[in-house]
Amino acid sequence: MFNIAAKRIIKEIKEVINGDQVEDAALKLELVNDNWMDLRGEFKGPPDTPYEGGAFKLEIKVPETYPFNPPKVRFMTNVWHPNVSSVTGAICLDILKDQWAAALTLRTVMLSIQSLLAAAEPNDPQDAVVATQYKENPELFAKTAKHWTNIYAGGPNHVWEFNRKVEVLIDMGIEEHKARVALSTNDWDIEKATEHLFS
Amino acid sequence: MAETSEAKASTSPPGGDAGGEEDKRDERMLECNICLDTARDAVVSMCGHLFCWPCLHQWLETRPSRQVCPVCKAAISRDKVIPLYGRGNTKQEDPRNKRTEPENTSAFPGFSFGDGFHMSFGIGAFPFGVFTSTFNFGDSRPSAAPRGTAQYDEEQFLSKIFLWVAILFVLWLVFA
Ligand SMILES: [Zn+2]
Ligand SMILES: [Zn+2]
């Protein structure tokens, strides 16, 4: 079957690869297993944010009714952000739901997700814990996001203080990612985090 | 140093083919904003955005409750688009009066015969009605061709063929 959706996806990939816009340089888009319904996207964390320098991977599922219905997009890279689930990578973004328009492309979707990282909307959260931290303790939030970017997205900025705290929990026999989640959700209080893990 | 200048050289476009670039841009001006192909049966919205009529029709059918331009989200409706007729297009038939058959959809459309009799087919989990193009065979369809002309006859003939295809399909569903 070679319908509008398949034709468009092929065109869209070409446009991203041959992109002449500056922002295209930071975008990647490719098929998984030569199947137009299943794609991987990647973009660079926006500058002057805790996500700077990270490379963020997206899983993109294209419905047969594309572009009349939106693609399903989620983060494959773990992200600490109010509008992204730290567990599933699900993204809360209006254009992926009721604000979808058929003239939007995977390129514009990726760019929108990139700017979502730069401008969170904590009042319409996907991850309530992260959103609370964002509102009540913005500095700690930014540090946590930077730490996650360093660990999961290959960002260059280490947060040594957090690395050491994760080490402490690992030494207690806790798996690394679990330890990081527990600490992040408990404002990096080791006592609270361990309590949380062993309760 | 050598490395950076080399990298720059390889990323800049080969040759100064400015004319080709311009041609490309001109072509993209006439692309449908939905299928991104050259617009066929082109219509333009009040907000100035170009579409194939079949593409726009399908967009309006997908969201009947929220009829907005797929590009700028201005209000849009079937009656407020302008068909474009280029030179060499001798028929100049309003695309909105044609049957809308998005050429690329492979799914079986729903069939409806006259008033009220409506069937749609599905096998297992795959609904054939995903693409919402509908053929209407009956008096309710505003026929573009007047009775007695060759086109009218041809349309009648096509309706019969589709009717038989539908019947065979039902039989196949029953006996397969
Ligand atoms: Zn089109
Ligand atoms: Zn418009």
Side-chain angles (χ1 to χ4, degrees), chain B residues 100-120:
Chain B
T100 50
E101 306 165 58
E103 63 169 4
N104 297 314
T105 57
S106 68
F108 243 84
F111 287 79
S112 84
F113 303 96
D115 346 334
F117 182 55
H118 187 269
M119 283 195 289
S120 58

Side-chain angles (χ1 to χ4, degrees), chain B residues 23-67:
Chain B
D23 286 352
K24 234 183 183 176
R25 211 152 289 158
D26 283 351
E27 259 169 47
R28 291 185 60 176
M29 286 270 301
L30 299 172
E31 277 172 12
C32 162
N33 281 289
I34 292 178
C35 65
L36 311 184
D37 237 322
T38 308
R40 80 200 150 79
D41 289 338
V43 294
V44 66
S45 58
M46 297 299 274
C47 44
H49 291 115
L50 181 73
F51 308 96
C52 311
W53 170 247
C55 288
L56 185 63
H57 180 257
Q58 197 168 340
W59 168 248
L60 296 175
E61 294 269 291
T62 308
R63 277 140 205 262
S65 58
R66 195 174 151 266
Q67 309 233 310

Side-chain angles (χ1 to χ4, degrees), chain A residues 1-4 7-8 11-12 15 64-65 67-70 95 97-105, chain B residues 25 28 31 33-37 55 58-59 62-63 66 70-71 73 102-106 126 130-131:
Chain A
M1 181 170 94
F2 209 68
N3 58 14
I4 295 179
K7 267 194 191 173
R8 241 191 77 152
K11 260 186 183 251
E12 289 191 33
E15 271 187 9
E64 285 196 43
T65 50
F68 302 102
N69 287 303
I95 59 160
K97 293 164 192 160
D98 56 327
Q99 291 299 309
W100 171 253
L104 292 170
T105 63
Chain B
R25 211 152 289 158
R28 291 185 60 176
E31 277 172 12
N33 281 289
I34 292 178
C35 65
L36 311 184
D37 237 322
C55 288
Q58 197 168 340
W59 168 248
T62 308
R63 277 140 205 262
R66 195 174 151 266
V71 181
K73 299 191 176 171
E103 63 169 4
N104 297 314
T105 57
S106 68
F126 182 66
V130 173
F131 298 95

